[in-house]
Every structure is written in C-alpha cells, then in structure tokens.
Amino acid sequence: IFSSWTGVFPSIQGYLYFYIPLLTMGLVSKELSSGSVRLLYSSPITNVQIILGKYFSVMLYGLVMMGVLVLLALVGGITIKHFEWPAVLTGILGLYLLLCAYGAIGLFMSSLTSYQIVAAIGTLIVLMLLSMVGGWWQSYDFVRDITYWLSINGRCDTFIHGMICSEDLLYFLIIICLFLSLTIIRLNAVRQKIPFSVTVGKNVGVILVACLLGYFSSLPALKSYYDATENKRNTLTETSQKIMAQLTGGLTVTSYINVLDPDAAWYLMELFLSRDKERYERYQRFKPEMKLKYVYYYDTTYNPSLDKRYPGESLREKMVHVCETFGVDTNKVLRPEEIRSIVDLSGENNTFVVQLARENGEKAWLRVFNDMMRYPDEREISVAFKRMVMKLPVVGFLTGHGERGYGSNKDRDYSAFANDKKFRYALMNQGFDVENVRLDKEIREDINILVIAESRETFTPEEDAVLQQYIDRGGNLFVLGEPRRREVMNPLFAKFGFEMMPGVLVKQDTNLQADVILSYPTKEAGGIAYDFGNLREMRRVVVTPGVAGLRQVDDKGFTVTELFKSDTIGSWNELETVDFVDDTVSLNKSAGEVEQSYPTVVALSRMLDGREQRIILAGDADCISNEELMGSRKGVRASNFTLIMGGFYWLSNNEAPLDVRRVWTTDDHVNVGASGAENIK
C-alpha cells in the first residue's frame, strides 16, 4: 500500500513535482517585485543567511507535510501485522529529500525573476530537464555517465522501494547545495554589482565541483547500500551472491547490438542503456570492477520487415536507414568483417546477445527471450555467471531407438525445452548442458541426468546392460512413455517397479478432446520441488495429452511420491475407443474401465552408495514437447514448463535452475475490520 506503483508514496512523488514549484515561486521573486528585498539588504544579515533562512522554512514546511505520511505510517504500524517500519521510513526519507531538492531548485528559480509565475514555470522546466537528461547522449560513454548521474528520475524510487544507496543520498545533498550556492551567487551579483564574467565563473566552478563530486559518488567501488526491506528484495539472493564471490578478477559485460536485428528498436533507443545499467547495478554492488560495454555492428540476420521496407538495398544502406531513424552515429557501427574479426556471432544468428568475459578468458552468453519479460532476470543472469566458475549439470538425451530429442523443431521433439536460445525455460538457459547419449558404450560419469522419451524400439541385451549399469551406479533419470509405446516402455518402467496401465486416460470435457487430460499437482509434489508447490498454489495444471496412468507393480526399494494426477471425477482409463476425434467416449465398467484419479507423473528416490538416486516417470511424452510448450490451450491455466523447472531442479539435486526465492514477508494480515477501516479513513 506504500511502495507499489499504485501506492501512497508514488502518488505523493507525483504531487510534489507539480506542487513544490507553486510553493516556492514567491520565496525571492515576491521580495523582488514588492521591493521588500531592500529591507532585507539593509538588515545586519548576509545573503547566505537570507537564503538559508528561506530554505530552512521550506524544509520545515516539508517536515509538516511528511508528518501527514508519518501519521499514515502510524496507522499502518497499529493495524498491520509485522509492519515494515524500516522500509516505510526509508520511503518517507526519500520523499523528504526529493521535496528538499525541489525546494532548492524552486528557490534558485525564484531568485532569477520578479514574476512568480515565471519562477514556477522555470522550476517545472528545470525539473523536466533533470528528469529527461538521463536519456540524452547515451551513445557516448563519458557523456552517458554524466547525464545518468544528473538525472533525478528514479532517485526517489530507490528509497520508496526500501533501500538507501549512497549515490542517491549524496545526489540529493549535492543538488541541494548546488542550487543553494547558485542562488547565493545570484543575490551577491545583484547586491554587490559583481562583474558578469566573475559571476559566470563562479557558477561554472560550482557546477563543475558538483559534477566532480557526483562522478565520484557514482563509482561502483565507492557506493554503499542499506536494504531496509524484511526479505532484502532489493539485494541479490544468497545464491547469486555466492556465485559473484567466486568471480575473481576483472569482468566485462559486452552487449553486441546488430542494428539490423528485427528487434533493434528495443536496443537502439537511448533509454535502453540507462535501464541496462540499472539491471546490472545489483551485480556491480558485489562486483564493483564489472564494466559494461556496448558494441554496435551490422551483419546478415533474418529480418523480413526490413527487407520489405528497403528492397534491393545493400546491408550498409539498410544500416544507414536504421541509424537515421534512431539517431545512431554510423561511424561507430562496425562492418561485418570488423565484427567477425572480434567475435563469432553466427551461432546467435547475429541477433542481440550479451557476452560475459573474465580476465582469465572464461566466457558465457546471456540472451534475451521471446516472452513478455524479454530481458533476463536474476535467475538467468546468475546462471550465466555461474557457467564461468562452476561445472554445470549435464543432461543426456538417449538416442538410437526413435526417442524424442532436441535436434529438431518438430512438434513432437524437445528442442524448445532443451536448447532453444530464445526460450527462457530451456535447460541451456537455466544452468544445464545437454548432449546426446547412445547405449553402444558406457555412459560417462559426468552425465548427471538421462532423459529417455518414448523409445520406439526395444534395447538389445548389450544396450540394456549399459543402461542397467548407469542405473546401478545411481544415475538420475527422466523417463517419459506414451500409451502406444507400452510394449517397448513397460520393460523399462518395470526396472523401477512401475508400469503404464492399459488404455488411455480420458475425461468428458466440452472444451478439450477426450484424451487431453489436465494433470493436477499433488500436495506432496511441493516437497519435491518448490515450483510444483507454486503451481498448486496458483491452481495451474500440466496438460498431458494422450497419457497413460501409472501403477506400481513391484517394490524395488524406492520411495514413491505421486507428483501429478488426473481429475477424480469423470476420468477413467479408456480401453475401447481409439479415435478421439470422431468417436465419443463412454465409461464401460464391464470392460475394466474404472473412474478414479490416476497418477500421471511419479517421483522415485532411494539411497545408493551414500547418495540419493532420483527418478521421474511420466505416462506421457507430449507434455514437454515443442507443441505443448510453445502452443496454448484455450481456457486452460496450463504451466507445462513448470514440469521442466521443478523436475530438473529435483533431478539435479537442487543445483539448477537456481533457487533465487526470497522469504515471504510477514506483514500479511490487517488487524482491522470494515467499520474500523472506514473510521480510520
């Protein structure tokens, strides 16, 4: 209610922008217009005392205004369980500093004219310029650092979100001192008839000193932070901090921007650079020597809209058109041969990509994704850093028997969740390496997880022996079957004491085909992986089209946990109907069809040679296919990618995807009823 974008503090911040210029417009200009300034000049006080006296009155008035917010906070402290006092008081401090900065600017503008309205408009113009300057001249590194510091935009937001950063705190103090100094210089020039050149020199000197102090305050190595929130939501999680602690030596984050990229508009806008700096600031807090670098180039890439707009033109001519549109200097855009001599981006299709590079030569890629968030979050950024300091789990995909693999973009295959560079939840973007595995030789020790998806041919005795050796040594597996491959897959399921039941699970549903089953996470699934628990809390499901129920037929020493189950009502194992498009299904108990809830995904675990072996069995292989992950089911709250995130988190012994969760805040209850709330209001 305080810091959210619809909360109290952001609203107050917006009001200050318009009201403070009106409150300060007459501080000096009224004295100038009425002539009362002569009485002040004849008094035994200096210009410094005059200005500080008027400014302290603004500060006192601001304290009264903040007192209203303190009263509101007191109400929150009384009525809200475990109220976050430090975070709320930090937000009030930020608003007060913003008010004081606005007041200093308004005081200066008021000293320039005897017309109060002109002073108010002038103050608004200065505030507008300070808000906009952060997006100017971002293409030039040195100028970008200066304009970024000068920008007042977002400074108060840091406080509102519950964190004090020394840079933002010093920014307000420097801005206040700067405009108070300019005001004093202005009054001295009027009162003492100082030559114009001297006045200009003093103004320039004060501004240069302020910029110099601001420059040093913005250096990452000189910054300090205090996160006042209960769950430290403004700070990297401990998982990410441990990774950053291992990144010794220099580190460069280089963004390669192809101006012919179909999404170039996202990266060529000047605001992109300032927002990108904000994105990595949390990491620079723990790695001050991290440097951000931007390389612009043009090279061949898939962009049909650009080809259509400029048919028959060369790459360079298209580049010039794009640069003119976004105001990019063509002289700093590298030619294809120049960028190729620096780095090979062909594997990234010459689209936007970020390369992380350490002094010791270790490198990793960080990408943007085809989703609403677009940019990588803490989980993806930390994974990229982790690649340079730790060995990642390796997922092997069994091949040689018609299994589903990641080498194709066909609907049935697994390229999306395995190695699609633009899919956020792909294994390669979440801390795994993937490779194909065959059973013609012993499976390597570094294969941590083996995926066997819908084998179409039975294993030879030699291949079965290799697989059994992997199982006996405690290797983890993810085995996915299909009802139509029951004869081939059931011998494999039997190794773990399970089988795929006869028939196909169906449910009569007006919106979905009968064999498209919604599998619901069980309560126990949350104990396997937190993603499964979140899935249950959000009341989302995994779509399992054409799935067989799983049944335990033997005890192989595993602890069994049912992860996902079909609906209890109206769901049965259909043994007669095979055409679910044209035919209708009906429950026939005499044929052995039983209406009940069936497990569709189960987890098995056992201790073997001092380590826990983990196995997931699924009665459907389509649930994580390209078609199900990239498509959508109308009217279904599906979250199939969660089966990947939660499943592989458990199979990798909780190593990946990275756990960047934060503890829930405890201010989750309001101790007041409806009538009490109305009285408080």
Side-chain angles (χ1 to χ4, degrees):
I1 61 175
F2 285 94
S3 61
S4 67
W5 67 278
T6 57
V8 175
F9 289 168
S11 299
I12 296 297
Q13 184 179 2
Y15 296 150
L16 293 179
Y17 182 85
F18 294 103
Y19 292 162
I20 298 304
L22 299 178
L23 293 172
T24 59
M25 64 183 183
L27 286 175
V28 179
S29 62
K30 189 174 182 179
E31 306 277 8
L32 296 174
S33 63
S34 65
S36 59
V37 69
R38 296 185 182 88
L39 294 176
L40 291 176
Y41 288 164
S42 63
S43 302
I45 55 176
T46 64
N47 286 337
V48 174
Q49 292 172 319
I50 293 173
I51 296 305
L52 291 182
K54 289 183 175 294
Y55 184 68
F56 286 151
S57 70
V58 174
M59 294 179 64
L60 182 60
Y61 189 83
L63 279 176
V64 175
M65 295 178 68
M66 293 301 108
V68 178
L69 294 180
V70 172
L71 289 176
L72 188 62
L74 286 173
V75 173
I78 295 171
T79 60
I80 298 176
K81 171 188 172 185
H82 295 162
F83 187 68
E84 283 196 74
W85 275 108
V88 172
L89 292 178
T90 298
I92 294 176
L93 172 63
L95 289 172
Y96 182 62
L97 289 172
L98 182 68
L99 185 151
C100 291
Y102 284 179
I105 296 171
L107 180 61
F108 170 67
M109 296 306 297
S110 180
S111 70
L112 296 179
T113 176
S114 59
Y115 298 97
Q116 297 183 41
I117 297 300
V118 174
I121 295 175
T123 304
L124 285 172
I125 292 175
V126 172
L127 296 182
M128 181 183 67
L129 292 177
L130 287 176
S131 298
M132 297 172 59
V133 70
W136 294 351
W137 306 302
Q138 293 290 294
S139 357
Y140 306 98
D141 295 342
F142 177 72
V143 178
R144 179 172 66 245
D145 292 337
I146 295 176
T147 57
Y148 182 80
W149 178 83
L150 283 174
S151 175
I152 200 171
N153 198 29
R155 297 288 183 180
C156 187
D157 292 342
T158 306
F159 291 86
I160 288 176
H161 293 149
M163 187 169 73
I164 300 176
C165 175
S166 61
E167 179 189 9
D168 298 318
L169 180 62
L170 291 174
Y171 173 85
F172 286 121
L173 297 179
I174 292 171
I175 287 295
I176 290 170
C177 293
L178 170 63
F179 281 95
L180 289 180
S181 300
L182 293 176
T183 307
I184 293 171
I185 293 172
R186 162 65 180 167
L187 285 190
N188 283 337
V190 174
R191 186 175 184 178
Q192 301 174 10
K193 304 300 182 181
I194 297 175
F196 179 75
S197 59
V198 175
T199 302
V200 171
K202 290 181 178 180
N203 286 330
V204 172
V206 169
I207 293 173
L208 289 178
V209 170
C211 290
L212 185 63
L213 293 174
Y215 171 76
F216 283 109
S217 71
S218 65
L219 293 177
L222 299 180
K223 289 183 184 180
S224 58
Y225 302 83
Y226 169 65
D227 193 342
T229 59
E230 180 182 355
N231 63 350
K232 307 301 177 185
R233 56 181 173 269
N234 299 305
T235 307
L236 290 179
T237 59
E238 291 186 6
T239 302
S240 298
Q241 290 183 40
K242 290 178 181 178
I243 294 173
M244 298 306 294
Q246 300 184 51
L247 285 168
T248 56
L251 177 66
T252 303
V253 180
T254 305
S255 298
Y256 290 100
I257 304 172
N258 186 354
V259 299
L260 303 183
D261 190 317
D263 296 320
W266 288 89
Y267 321 118
L268 296 179
M269 292 186 298
E270 291 186 333
L271 282 176
F272 164 74
L273 299 181
S274 58
R275 290 174 180 173
D276 199 55
K277 185 174 181 179
E278 294 171 1
R279 186 175 299 111
Y280 291 104
E281 185 174 7
R282 291 195 301 171
Y283 289 87
Q284 285 183 315
R285 174 178 174 181
F286 298 96
K287 186 70 175 173
E289 60 269 33
M290 178 192 298
K291 297 180 180 179
L292 303 183
K293 182 180 177 181
Y294 301 90
V295 176
Y296 296 84
Y297 73 98
Y298 71 95
D299 203 348
T300 305
T301 190
Y302 180 72
N303 191 347
S305 62
L306 196 64
D307 296 335
K308 185 177 180 180
R309 195 177 309 154
Y310 308 112
E313 296 194 13
S314 65
L315 288 179
R316 177 167 181 78
E317 290 171 332
K318 293 176 182 176
M319 179 272 292
V320 172
H321 287 305
V322 174
C323 289
E324 289 176 349
T325 301
F326 293 98
V328 177
D329 184 3
T330 57
N331 293 320
K332 70 175 184 178
V333 180
L334 301 181
R335 300 189 305 272
E337 56 272 19
E338 291 177 320
I339 188 64
R340 292 171 191 172
S341 66
I342 299 174
V343 62
D344 182 11
L345 299 175
S346 59
E348 303 295 328
N349 298 318
N350 290 327
T351 56
F352 176 85
V353 69
V354 178
Q355 186 183 65
L356 314 177
R358 299 176 66 192
E359 281 182 346
N360 62 5
E362 293 284 346
K363 297 179 180 179
W365 296 109
L366 183 61
R367 304 172 179 89
V368 293
F369 306 108
N370 292 329
D371 55 28
M372 293 181 64
M373 291 174 57
R374 191 172 196 86
Y375 295 103
D377 206 349
E378 179 181 342
R379 178 183 266 176
E380 292 79 39
I381 296 175
S382 297
V383 159
F385 285 126
K386 182 179 179 180
R387 282 188 174 275
M388 298 188 290
V389 294
M390 302 179 190
K391 185 174 177 58
L392 300 180
V394 181
V395 179
F397 285 77
L398 186 63
T399 63
H401 316 88
E403 291 92 353
R404 304 190 185 200
Y406 60 85
S408 167
N409 293 325
K410 295 179 180 178
D411 288 346
R412 68 181 298 274
D413 286 327
Y414 290 168
S415 60
F417 95 80
N419 65 342
D420 186 342
K421 296 175 181 178
K422 294 296 185 180
F423 184 45
R424 182 181 300 272
Y425 304 105
L427 294 180
M428 69 178 304
N429 292 324
Q430 293 297 330
F432 295 90
D433 287 327
V434 298
E435 62 178 69
N436 289 320
V437 172
R438 298 182 67 89
L439 295 179
D440 54 358
K441 58 182 178 180
E442 183 179 345
I443 300 175
R444 296 199 323 268
E445 288 290 336
D446 64 332
I447 301 295
N448 308 93
I449 304 167
L450 183 62
V451 177
I452 306 176
E454 193 191 351
S455 296
R456 298 185 177 192
E457 302 171 6
T458 57
F459 303 152
T460 65
E462 294 78 13
E463 291 174 331
D464 189 70
V466 172
L467 177 60
Q468 190 61 50
Q469 183 184 27
Y470 175 82
I471 296 173
D472 293 341
R473 83 180 191 207
N476 296 342
L477 294 99
F478 196 164
V479 184
L480 303 101
E482 278 286 320
R484 61 181 179 277
R485 311 295 179 197
R486 186 176 288 105
E487 292 184 1
V488 177
M489 296 299 297
N490 265 349
L492 178 57
F493 277 69
K495 293 178 181 291
F496 315 108
F498 272 80
E499 71 171 5
M500 290 191 293
M501 296 177 60
V504 179
L505 297 187
V506 297
K507 179 178 173 63
Q508 290 181 327
D509 193 310
T510 57
N511 298 317
L512 299 172
Q513 191 171 293
D515 64 335
V516 177
I517 297 297
L518 304 182
S519 292
Y520 298 85
T522 64
K523 183 178 180 180
E524 295 74 19
I528 293 291
Y530 65 89
D531 277 308
F532 295 154
N534 294 340
L535 192 70
R536 181 179 175 85
E537 290 179 4
M538 294 186 296
R539 297 183 180 180
R540 291 183 175 271
V541 299
V542 169
V543 179
T544 48
V547 59
L550 301 180
R551 177 169 59 192
Q552 187 173 12
V553 294
D554 194 7
D555 185 358
K556 296 290 186 178
F558 291 96
T559 300
V560 179
T561 304
E562 295 179 349
L563 299 181
F564 292 86
K565 302 182 71 173
S566 65
D567 203 344
T568 305
I569 302 173
S571 175
W572 69 88
N573 58 322
E574 178 63 38
L575 300 173
E576 298 176 319
T577 304
V578 295
D579 184 356
F580 298 103
V581 176
D582 298 321
D583 289 352
T584 57
V585 296
S586 59
L587 177 63
N588 185 358
K589 296 183 179 180
S590 62
E593 298 173 354
V594 180
E595 181 183 4
Q596 65 178 42
S597 178
Y598 292 87
T600 56
V601 183
V602 298
L604 315 176
S605 63
R606 66 176 177 181
M607 296 304 299
L608 200 63
D609 295 332
R611 65 179 296 271
E612 186 179 28
Q613 183 180 33
R614 298 178 174 184
I615 298 167
I616 293 180
L617 305 178
D620 171 49
D622 290 321
C623 56
I624 54 176
S625 66
N626 296 337
E627 181 179 20
E628 286 300 326
L629 291 178
M630 297 305 182
S632 62
R633 299 274 183 177
K634 187 176 181 181
V636 177
R637 292 172 56 83
S639 186
N640 283 32
F641 70 85
T642 305
L643 181 57
I644 302 168
M645 302 294 283
F648 282 92
Y649 176 76
W650 184 67
L651 291 172
S652 66
N653 298 305
N654 305 347
E655 183 177 351
L658 292 183
D659 184 358
V660 292
R661 288 176 296 167
R662 303 180 188 277
V663 296
W664 289 101
T665 54
T666 56
D667 54 345
D668 54 2
H669 182 73
V670 179
N671 301 309
V672 65
S675 58
E678 186 63 27
N679 291 333
I680 291 173
K681 183 179 179 181

